[in-house]
Amino acid sequence: MANMYYTENPNVEHDIHELNVKLLGESFSFLTDAGVFSKRMIDYGSQVLLNSLHFEKNKSLLDLGCGYGPLGISLAKVQGVKATMVDINTRALELAKKNATRNGVVVEVFQSNIYENISKTFDYIISNPPIRAGKQVVHSIIEESICYLNTGGSLTIVIQKKQGAPSAKAKMLDTFGNCDILKKDKKHKNNSKLFDENLIVYINEVDSSQMLEVMKRGYIEMSQINLELAEECVDEISDYETWLCGV
């Protein structure tokens, strides 16, 4: 488990990538690395969440489990929120700081295991929760959020229907007394193409590296690719739901 993205110090070799993407109609550049969530693409759940959000300028935002920063950074740049971004993963946090600078955004970034180091309240909290970390982590994100929201504030999360959306909705209703669906979306996947794209990436890395070094890290990299595919790309259709609750 030490190499998972939801651990403090993932025990995997660095493998820096650069993503150039459009989010909320603007161009962004992000550095990613092994040991962080969705290093080869902006995952579909995060895109669904991002496209459902319409925040007021200068309001405060907590991006909980920020990873390398695509959500908080893009919302700060495009919608003008004052973003605080936290994660348990120190590698992800270093990337988030660099990515904020790369994209000309001023945000606050620091380490926190869920709300452990949070000492203020926010107008908005958002999260694409780490499902692999377990239901208790997801439920803690929901239950404890009410203590960190200003009056009139809201929590918005995205979750795959098959990975616990009904359970999360029930917890939000129990905590806040209200819960609304902001957006439903389905991702149709061409599995053959996805596996082919990942294979091409791996072959390109082999071509550009010394064979001995590739042999040493090949199994690790392929297992990481397999984990990402299992998490994001295996099912032909994935249902994503974005849920909103507020105080």
Side-chain angles (χ1 to χ4, degrees):
M1 301 292 284
N3 65 339
M4 299 304 290
Y5 65 87
Y6 50 81
T7 57
E8 185 172 1
N9 296 296
N11 185 26
V12 292
E13 291 187 28
H14 288 283
D15 184 22
I16 300 294
H17 288 262
E18 181 179 359
L19 300 181
N20 293 295
V21 297
K22 271 207 166 185
L23 300 174
L24 299 175
E26 296 287 338
S27 296
F28 291 88
S29 175
F30 297 105
L31 295 177
T32 73
D33 197 358
V36 303
F37 177 61
S38 195
K39 72 172 184 177
R40 297 181 186 276
M41 66 190 84
I42 307 297
D43 73 289
Y44 196 73
S46 291
Q47 294 181 53
V48 172
L49 175 59
L50 194 58
N51 291 327
S52 71
L53 300 174
H54 304 282
F55 291 153
E56 291 184 45
K57 187 177 181 179
N58 294 324
K59 292 283 189 175
S60 57
L61 166 72
L62 174 63
D63 180 2
L64 190 64
C66 65
Y68 54 83
L71 295 178
I73 289 171
S74 59
L75 287 165
K77 186 169 184 175
V78 178
Q79 297 189 10
V81 294
K82 297 178 179 178
T84 297
M85 300 163 51
V86 301
D87 203 295
I88 191 173
N89 185 327
T90 55
R91 185 175 294 191
L93 291 170
E94 288 304 310
L95 290 168
K97 292 175 183 177
K98 292 177 181 178
N99 287 331
T101 300
R102 287 172 69 89
N103 291 283
V105 172
V106 177
V107 295
E108 185 178 16
V109 181
F110 60 89
Q111 187 179 39
S112 182
N113 183 9
I114 313 180
Y115 300 99
E116 185 176 61
N117 296 324
I118 306 298
S119 59
K120 58 184 179 180
T121 57
F122 300 86
D123 298 307
Y124 310 113
I125 298 176
I126 62 170
S127 184
N128 182 357
I131 302 301
R132 284 178 170 271
K135 182 183 290 187
Q136 185 55 51
V137 171
V138 177
H139 284 189
S140 293
I141 289 171
I142 296 169
E143 287 180 304
E144 298 174 33
S145 66
I146 198 167
C147 300
Y148 298 93
L149 284 169
N150 295 328
T151 301
S154 65
L155 166 71
T156 310
I157 67 171
V158 65
I159 193 166
Q160 281 193 48
K161 188 174 182 179
K162 66 169 188 174
Q163 290 185 334
S167 172
K169 178 186 177 183
K171 180 60 65 174
M172 293 170 93
L173 283 170
D174 185 57
T175 303
F176 289 89
N178 65 86
C179 182
D180 297 310
I181 297 178
L182 284 184
K183 189 177 182 66
K184 286 187 176 183
D185 209 336
K186 289 185 178 182
K187 183 179 183 183
H188 297 257
K189 304 183 180 75
N190 181 328
N191 286 340
S192 297
K193 183 178 178 182
L194 286 164
F195 276 91
D196 185 53
E197 287 175 351
N198 280 276
L199 182 60
I200 290 171
V201 170
Y202 182 67
I203 290 172
N204 286 341
E205 290 178 358
V206 170
D207 290 342
S208 62
S209 307
Q210 294 296 320
M211 184 57 67
L212 179 61
E213 178 62 24
V214 171
M215 290 174 65
K216 288 180 180 179
R217 66 188 178 94
Y219 283 114
I220 296 174
E221 294 204 2
M222 288 305 294
S223 66
Q224 181 68 28
I225 289 172
N226 288 336
L227 279 174
E228 292 177 5
L229 287 170
E231 185 168 282
E232 301 166 18
C233 307
V234 170
D235 291 337
E236 186 172 355
I237 299 177
S238 295
D239 291 278
Y240 289 85
E241 297 181 352
T242 305
W243 296 91
L244 168 72
C245 55
V247 294

